[in-house]
Amino acid sequence: TVEVDEGLRLDADPDLMSQVLINLIRNAAQAAAAHSEHPQVWLRFTRTRSGRTQIEVADNGPGVPEGLRQDIFLPFFTTKAQGTGVGLSLARQVVLAHRGSISVGEAKQGGALFRIVI
């Protein structure tokens, strides 16, 4: 599911932000598919009260355990057998280069919720 606020514009490098979103959406889809009979992924673009852009990627997978939420952004940290641990670290670096922030929490559906504010 994709939701975008009307008239929303994002001032960011399109290639770099595309790579960030592809990575987050791919991770969400894999987590949801491995965990749920009816996997779902949500992508939301909204404007914050302060006028910044907020991007959320959520899924109905198992979520990220609270004890790992800071570690997942470290270079080469992975919980996947075939993972490299580069994707979320790269995403964090791209978001920071855009003077933004990225965080992870729990989605309403019980899976992971990644929130980017730029």
Side-chain angles (χ1 to χ4, degrees):
T1 303
V2 177
E3 299 174 24
V4 181
D5 279 0
E6 189 174 324
L8 185 71
R9 295 189 50 85
L10 178 60
D11 185 23
D13 182 288
D15 294 329
L16 291 175
M17 285 309 297
S18 292
Q19 198 60 47
V20 168
L21 294 177
I22 287 167
N23 184 48
L24 291 176
I25 292 167
R26 181 183 299 127
N27 285 353
Q30 289 172 349
H35 182 74
S36 176
E37 197 171 301
H38 303 287
Q40 294 181 304
V41 175
W42 295 267
L43 175 62
R44 272 182 222 98
F45 293 82
T46 57
R47 178 80 55 208
T48 67
R49 287 185 213 148
S50 63
R52 300 184 83 189
T53 300
Q54 179 172 279
I55 305 167
E56 293 181 331
V57 178
D59 62 63
N60 65 340
V64 178
E66 196 160 340
L68 297 180
R69 290 184 184 171
Q70 291 303 313
D71 294 339
I72 62 172
F73 295 107
L74 295 173
F76 309 112
F77 179 87
T78 184
T79 60
K80 297 179 182 178
Q82 303 297 332
T84 63
V86 174
L88 290 175
S89 175
L90 176 64
R92 182 177 176 271
Q93 292 304 314
V94 169
V95 170
L96 291 175
H98 285 84
R99 295 185 202 99
S101 64
I102 184 170
S103 61
V104 62
E106 188 173 320
K108 293 177 198 173
Q109 301 77 10
L113 168 66
F114 284 84
R115 180 175 290 131
I116 296 170
V117 178
I118 295 181

